[in-house]
Amino acid sequence: MGAPHGHRLHFHGHSPLHRAPAHLKVAGLVAFMLVVVATPVPWVPAFVGYAGVLAVLVALSGVPVPYLARRMVIETPVLVFAALLPFIAVGPRTEVLGLSLSEAGLVAAGGLVMKATLGVVASLLLAATTDPRDLLAGLERLRVPAQLVQIMGFMIRYLDVVTDELRRMRTAMESRGFTARDPRHWPVIGRSAGALFIRSFERGERVHLAMISRGYDGSVRR
Amino acid sequence: MHVPDGFLDAPTSIATAAAAATAIGLALRGARRELDERVAPLAGLVATFVFATQMINFPVAGGTSGHLMGGALAAVLVGPYTGILCLTVVLGVQAMLFADGGITALGTNVVLMGVVTVVVGYAVARAVQLVLPRRLPMVAVAAALGAIASVLASAAVFVGLYSAGGAVPIPLDTLLTAMLGVHTLIGVGEAVITFLVVASIVSVRPDLVHLARPVLVTRELETRLVAA
């Protein structure tokens, strides 16, 4: 259990970006994204510049572009929403391919897509180049309350254990011929979620007892 | 859906981040009362559970499916303070390790999905509990009503934030009707799932459910001589 295991988005490497202190990377990400968000949408050259900065950082990190691109599916709901904006926004309308679209909505959708995409790429780059343990230490240096960092540490450490438990429960149900197709199957899934909570909570109690037996007194030591 | 970067302007994002930080500060203090020194390992595992339940798909119809937001569920299971901490940590990990939800929108997401859902969900569940008969099965009913209220409150607060710092011109009344309409459906789903999950836990380990504690009958251990 003590062995460090990277999360699914971490891409092992030794680039300058991997070696940079985590607290600087987190602070840099927040500062960069605040600048991006505060930039007015019509300043397109500025966004080209931001994208250029990110492209240089990606190249520097040695993280393969397809690796990042595959993980960008997380942005899909945002893109769907952006596609709806020109239809629901108000203001003067314009004709595009025979559709009546709101001009302000088009601009806003463009801005949302640009800013959200920059945010997703920048965050993915942080995740890909930062080991979770370094990230936690970095957050602590950034004065994030120690207890919050500790909770996050436990969550990251047991993420794979609990999701594996969930997968085993699903395998067990499927091997007995269960496939969830419609809301009639919700009680079964709900019960397995309940069982997962009991197992997670009891695991937490066991972990806590194990820690006490090793001298834990509520504070973290590294 | 998590709020992405660039959806709300920078001042609103910073203001919500400050609000989130205040709420987290209060929650950190309150969580000690709910879980004493077991806070870190237990809240960590509950956060993992919330993250995992968000991965469970509930099929609706025609290949679509939904998943739980889990704010009200966490509040009912572990109490409001620990619930806020769990949801905050889940959202933080999602933003930093999975790029789900913008990093500048993290404060907004914590307020909407971590604080509003937990506080409203818990308050409504508690209020309902006062009205309903004090019996164990009623805990799940209270949790379900808390869940639907939490989703609607979250949608309403989103519209409020949007009117203050939205980057897109959408007429507010349209947005409010659309958000509340869609979220009534989502809320019903959330309520049904929360009911099922809480009912299943209450029937097995009612002692683990924070909301069930007031109605839990404590049975003293008795030792009696039995005639041979």
Side-chain angles (χ1 to χ4, degrees), chain A residues 2-220:
Chain A
H5 39 180
H7 59 88
R8 270 152 280 177
L9 291 189
H10 183 238
F11 186 85
H12 187 75
H14 299 280
S15 73
L17 217 58
H18 281 82
R19 284 196 307 269
H23 61 282
L24 290 185
K25 282 190 275 187
V26 174
L29 171 67
V30 173
F32 176 73
M33 283 320 298
L34 274 179
V35 172
V36 169
V37 169
T39 308
V41 177
W43 296 7
V44 177
F47 290 101
V48 176
Y50 301 146
V53 170
L54 274 186
V56 169
L57 288 177
V58 170
L60 201 65
S61 72
V63 178
V65 174
Y67 182 90
L68 290 177
R70 261 203 311 279
R71 278 149 184 86
M72 285 183 66
V73 289
I74 198 92
E75 207 195 339
T76 318
V78 182
L79 298 182
V80 171
F81 185 77
L84 291 177
L85 277 181
F87 297 97
I88 53 177
V90 286
R93 304 192 81 78
T94 175
E95 288 277 316
V96 181
L97 299 172
L99 293 170
S100 165
L101 302 175
S102 153
E103 277 172 28
L106 277 175
V107 173
L112 179 62
V113 169
M114 281 193 295
K115 290 176 180 179
T117 308
L118 287 170
V120 169
V121 174
S123 303
L124 283 176
L125 193 61
L126 170 79
T129 60
T130 315
D131 184 79
R133 276 219 270 177
D134 299 336
L135 181 69
L136 293 172
L139 289 178
E140 208 151 69
R141 290 200 64 171
L142 288 173
R143 300 260 179 276
V144 175
Q147 199 164 32
L148 209 58
V149 177
Q150 230 180 321
I151 298 175
M152 201 177 270
F154 278 102
M155 175 182 167
I156 291 171
R157 189 178 301 170
Y158 287 97
L159 198 56
D160 287 332
V161 177
V162 172
T163 46
D164 275 354
E165 192 142 38
L166 180 65
R167 215 190 37 239
R168 284 195 297 278
M169 289 162 78
R170 195 176 297 155
T171 310
M173 290 197 294
E174 278 167 9
S175 65
R176 286 162 180 78
F178 176 80
T179 11
R181 273 182 306 270
D182 56 67
R184 271 177 309 168
H185 299 115
W186 284 15
V188 181
I189 315 174
R191 270 197 295 278
S192 60
L196 187 70
F197 170 75
I198 295 173
R199 290 179 186 186
S200 304
F201 199 94
E202 287 177 344
R203 188 186 295 279
E205 285 175 329
R206 288 198 302 279
V207 169
H208 175 241
L209 289 178
M211 286 164 60
I212 286 183
S213 68
R214 287 161 180 79
Y216 174 75
D217 58 0
S219 61
V220 247

Side-chain angles (χ1 to χ4, degrees), chain B residues 122-202:
Chain B
Y122 188 76
V124 170
R126 252 290 145 73
V128 169
Q129 209 178 21
L130 292 177
V131 181
L132 290 177
R134 289 172 61 83
R135 285 186 21 243
L136 213 43
M138 292 298 151
V139 172
V141 177
L145 292 172
I148 189 167
S150 75
V151 172
L152 290 177
S154 180
V157 172
F158 173 80
V159 175
L161 287 179
Y162 190 85
S163 69
V168 191
I170 305 175
L172 272 185
D173 48 343
T174 324
L175 185 67
L176 188 66
T177 351
M179 283 294 281
L180 288 184
V182 171
H183 282 82
T184 307
L185 288 177
I186 297 178
V188 168
E190 178 98 3
V192 174
I193 300 170
T194 305
F195 174 83
L196 291 169
V197 176
V198 173
S200 79
I201 299 170
V202 162

Side-chain angles (χ1 to χ4, degrees), chain B residues 1 31 41 54 63 75 78 83 87 103 108 114 123-124 128 133 152 156-157 166 169 187 202 207 214 219:
Chain B
M1 172 177 133
Q54 291 190 352
V78 291
L87 266 290
I103 191 91
T108 313
V124 170
V128 169
L152 290 177
V157 172
V202 162
D207 55 312
R219 272 176 284 187

